Amino acid sequence: MPAVTQRKRSSQHRVTFLVSGISVLSIVIAVTLLLLLLISVLAFLAPPLLDDPLFISNRNNRNHRTSSLSSLPPILFIDSFGVNNRNISVVLESFVVPSGGDSSSRHHLWRSNRSNYYFGCSNSTTKFPKAVTWPNRYLMIATSGGLNQQRTGITDAVVAASILNATLVVPKLDKSSFWKDTSNFTEIFDVDWFISSLSKDVRIVKQLPKKGGKGYTSPYRMRVMRKCTPKCYQRRVLPVLLKKHVVQLTKFDYRLSNKLETDLQKLRCRVNYHALRFTDPIVQMGNKLIERMRKRTNNFVTLHLRFEPDMLAFSGCDYGGGEKERTELGAIRKRWKTLHTKNPEKERKQGKCPLTPEEVGLMLRALDFGSDVHIYVASGQVYGGDQTLSSLRQIFPNIHSKDTLATKEELAPFSLFSSRMAALDFMVCDDSDVFVTNNNGNMARMLAGRRRYFGHKRTIRPNAKKLYSLFLNRTSMNWETFASKVQKHQKGFMGEPNEVRLGRGGFHENPSSCICQTSKSISRNTSLLSSVYQA
């Protein structure tokens, strides 16, 4: 009996264990199936990999939108135990830069509706006397800086010679600046045209003449204060000129007042916009670059990108390159011993820092330029090279430069001379449908004024002070909000006629004395004013 009972109990234990095993196995299988189901659901909801072909195809088909460097795809936050219902949070796409767009159909981008009403007018009035040159009065100048800074000096030197009734000797170009360009005046500008076209205004000679078989002794060197007025020249320079006969004004840039009587301002315009022509080799190569851009597109944008190492170092701004950037630019900055240390954050808040290539791209896209636009980048050596330009190229793939449009052989006569290379960029920028700048330097100002003079061609300058906080906080808003705010901030910075009040800005940037209105424009403005008063 005990043996039988023991066998029954043993059998019961085996059955119980088997049942328990089956129950545990069922639970394990159920949990596994549940986890597999959960993983399948999450895999369906989760964003695809950025390099998944299906994602790329869907992204391109989704209203042709593409994200910027700062954009993130939608993300689900999952804790270590699976989905926590209390903490599920979906980060929606907020700042996504749209691609695509047909820019050629947006006529307002390429020109102002009012530009036909304005034209350049720099002929002297009947009150302006013909050139009166006293004997033994020779004015020489030594320019300063790069091509466009020198251009301001040459322009103002002609006016200074007129004020002093002196003969101007063809200016000497700066060969000791950062760019170390050895070019002479005659290698950049057409000197014969320069002399002949201004013959009614000022007597100009290529070099000091011989005096009694001998040349003049070394000129007396002096420097005038910045923005010196005509009375200032007559008071400070004329007595020295009468005594020494030959005076050379050194570091001659912005040494003439911004505000002059109308006829002297018009003389400035005749020099800058008509007398200063580039030499034939520069003109021929510049025209080739323009033609090659026109073959690619009907309308094109030029971007004067001041993002060279020396420029960034001089600005004292921070461009997000970390300690490496601070070390490299700091070493360059030591070349200017008189520069004081600047607060990068303060400089940017005040709009004194040039926009980065990415910021320029975002601004243009927000202004409604589509990714189909062709952009010619006028620049020297870009700090960071192609890596720096990659963010701009993501938004606008059609990027060109003189190096991509011309062969090394074609550029060989110019490539070792920074001013001649800058002259080629100047020509393409001057001819473009839209000129954009990331700064407010010498070339930007000179081209802004020139494009106003020759028909108010579209010129876009960034309102850097207003755009600063917008760029800083862009990921906290959606694209539509960002674009709307950019368009608002850029009103008054799009090259429209009369957007700059008279007397504001440098004369080379806003040559208001040399711009006239057509009769249609005057009558139109008069009718607008009368309707306002009647209202």
Side-chain angles (χ1 to χ4, degrees):
M1 223 14 221
V4 174
T5 304
Q6 187 174 2
R7 282 196 299 270
K8 286 183 178 179
R9 288 178 179 175
S10 177
S11 177
Q12 288 174 355
H13 281 304
R14 282 197 300 271
V15 171
T16 303
F17 179 78
L18 183 60
V19 171
S20 299
I22 292 172
S23 300
V24 171
L25 181 61
S26 300
I27 294 171
V28 170
I29 292 173
V31 171
T32 302
L33 290 173
L34 182 61
L35 287 174
L36 288 173
L37 180 61
L38 180 60
I39 290 171
S40 300
V41 172
L42 291 177
F44 178 79
L45 294 175
L49 296 174
L50 293 177
D51 57 354
D52 189 318
L54 180 61
F55 169 76
I56 295 172
S57 175
N58 289 338
R59 182 182 64 177
N60 290 336
N61 291 331
R62 190 181 63 232
N63 296 327
H64 300 287
R65 296 168 74 88
T66 173
S67 62
S68 73
L69 296 179
S70 56
S71 303
L72 290 173
I75 297 172
L76 284 173
F77 290 99
I78 305 172
D79 63 23
S80 58
F81 297 96
V83 179
N84 185 335
N85 291 328
R86 292 174 299 172
N87 296 319
I88 290 180
S89 152
V90 178
V91 180
L92 298 176
E93 288 181 319
S94 56
F95 190 79
V96 183
V97 183
S99 66
D102 181 13
S103 301
S104 60
S105 63
R106 298 165 185 163
H107 302 294
H108 68 281
L109 295 176
W110 302 108
R111 62 178 302 165
S112 165
N113 292 330
R114 298 163 56 211
S115 60
N116 291 335
Y117 297 130
Y118 297 84
F119 61 95
C121 52
S122 57
N123 290 334
S124 60
T125 67
T126 54
K127 297 179 181 179
F128 192 60
K130 300 296 180 183
V132 178
T133 305
W134 290 91
N136 297 327
R137 286 190 196 178
Y138 292 95
L139 180 67
M140 303 176 69
I141 68 160
T143 60
S144 179
L147 175 67
N148 290 284
Q149 192 171 339
Q150 294 183 52
R151 194 179 184 111
T152 64
I154 296 167
T155 299
D156 290 348
V158 173
V159 180
S162 175
I163 292 169
L164 297 168
N165 296 122
T167 296
L168 177 68
V169 181
V170 169
K172 294 182 178 181
L173 303 187
D174 184 359
K175 299 179 182 180
S176 60
S177 65
F178 176 85
W179 295 273
K180 305 294 182 185
D181 192 317
T182 59
S183 300
N184 295 317
F185 186 99
T186 55
E187 293 170 307
I188 297 178
F189 300 106
D190 185 337
V191 66
D192 293 325
W193 172 256
F194 178 71
I195 292 172
S196 62
S197 64
L198 294 170
S199 59
K200 293 181 180 179
D201 299 303
V202 175
R203 181 171 177 254
I204 304 174
V205 295
K206 294 182 180 179
Q207 57 188 11
L208 282 173
K210 299 292 184 180
K211 181 182 179 183
K214 297 181 180 180
Y216 281 91
T217 57
S218 298
Y220 181 85
R221 289 177 172 81
M222 62 181 293
R223 187 179 299 178
V224 294
M225 61 186 289
R226 278 184 169 260
K227 299 181 180 180
C228 195
T229 64
K231 287 185 178 180
C232 166
Y233 275 91
Q234 291 168 350
R235 186 174 65 252
R236 292 172 179 263
V237 183
L238 185 56
V240 181
L241 192 60
L242 293 173
K243 183 177 180 181
K244 302 291 184 180
H245 303 298
V246 182
V247 171
Q248 178 172 313
L249 302 178
T250 61
K251 201 172 175 59
F252 198 80
D253 61 320
Y254 300 103
R255 302 288 164 174
L256 183 63
S257 174
N258 189 42
K259 298 178 181 178
L260 300 172
E261 61 177 274
T262 299
D263 271 315
L264 290 179
Q265 297 286 48
K266 287 181 177 292
L267 176 56
R268 260 179 169 163
C269 295
R270 291 198 293 280
V271 179
N272 196 3
Y273 306 136
H274 299 284
L276 282 176
R277 286 183 181 176
F278 292 124
T279 58
D280 287 343
I282 292 175
V283 170
Q284 290 167 8
M285 189 66 237
N287 284 334
K288 283 183 182 179
L289 295 175
I290 294 168
E291 288 170 8
R292 290 168 189 177
M293 283 299 296
R294 293 290 178 197
K295 286 181 179 178
R296 286 165 169 77
T297 179
N298 291 328
N299 300 302
F300 71 92
V301 174
T302 49
L303 166 61
H304 180 228
L305 186 65
R306 282 308 312 271
F307 219 71
E308 299 91 344
D310 67 295
M311 191 273 173
L312 301 187
F314 189 86
S315 72
C317 299
D318 187 351
Y319 299 95
E323 189 59 35
K324 181 176 181 292
E325 176 190 293
R326 285 190 288 272
T327 301
E328 291 175 347
L329 297 185
I332 298 174
R333 191 171 173 79
K334 291 178 182 178
R335 296 173 185 173
W336 294 283
K337 296 180 180 179
T338 57
L339 285 183
H340 63 279
T341 303
K342 296 182 179 180
N343 183 327
E345 184 69 15
K346 183 179 179 182
E347 293 294 306
R348 189 168 286 277
K349 282 183 177 179
Q350 293 178 348
K352 295 181 180 180
C353 299
L355 270 58
T356 66
E358 182 185 19
E359 289 170 342
V360 173
L362 292 172
M363 178 187 73
L364 289 177
R365 194 67 193 91
L367 292 173
D368 218 15
F369 285 93
S371 57
D372 61 324
V373 165
H374 287 253
I375 299 179
Y376 177 96
V377 176
S379 176
Q381 176 193 356
V382 175
Y383 180 68
D386 288 338
Q387 186 177 355
T388 300
L389 290 173
S390 63
S391 54
L392 174 63
R393 192 173 279 111
Q394 283 188 3
I395 304 173
F396 296 100
N398 300 311
I399 300 292
H400 312 275
S401 68
K402 51 186 175 291
D403 296 310
T404 64
L405 294 174
T407 65
K408 289 184 178 180
E409 291 74 21
E410 288 176 315
L411 292 177
F414 315 96
S415 58
L416 296 179
F417 306 95
S418 59
S419 290
R420 299 183 209 182
M421 293 288 271
L424 296 178
D425 281 340
F426 188 97
M427 282 192 63
V428 182
C429 289
D430 185 34
D431 193 76
S432 65
D433 301 282
V434 175
F435 172 65
V436 184
T437 176
N438 74 324
N439 71 102
N440 198 31
N442 292 304
M443 183 168 170
R445 288 195 291 266
M446 293 295 280
L447 275 166
R450 184 179 180 88
R451 290 171 68 87
R452 284 192 173 101
Y453 182 83
F454 289 107
H456 274 90
K457 291 185 284 187
R458 176 71 73 197
T459 302
I460 301 175
R461 299 171 298 126
N463 184 357
K465 194 171 183 178
K466 291 283 188 180
L467 293 177
Y468 158 74
S469 60
L470 198 55
F471 288 135
L472 187 66
N473 301 303
R474 63 180 182 265
T475 54
S476 65
M477 65 188 81
N478 60 32
W479 174 258
E480 288 71 20
T481 301
F482 174 82
S484 176
K485 289 186 177 183
V486 168
Q487 292 170 19
K488 178 182 177 182
H489 293 331
Q490 281 300 118
K491 287 182 179 179
F493 291 80
M494 299 294 289
E496 291 286 342
N498 296 333
E499 70 180 11
V500 181
R501 284 183 295 169
L502 295 178
R504 297 295 297 272
F507 182 77
H508 294 296
E509 180 182 0
N510 184 33
S512 53
S513 301
C514 304
I515 296 177
C516 298
Q517 293 177 251
T518 63
S519 56
K520 284 186 178 180
S521 172
I522 295 172
S523 62
R524 181 173 178 270
N525 290 338
T526 302
S527 62
L528 285 173
L529 284 173
S530 63
S531 65
V532 170
Y533 288 126
Q534 288 173 4

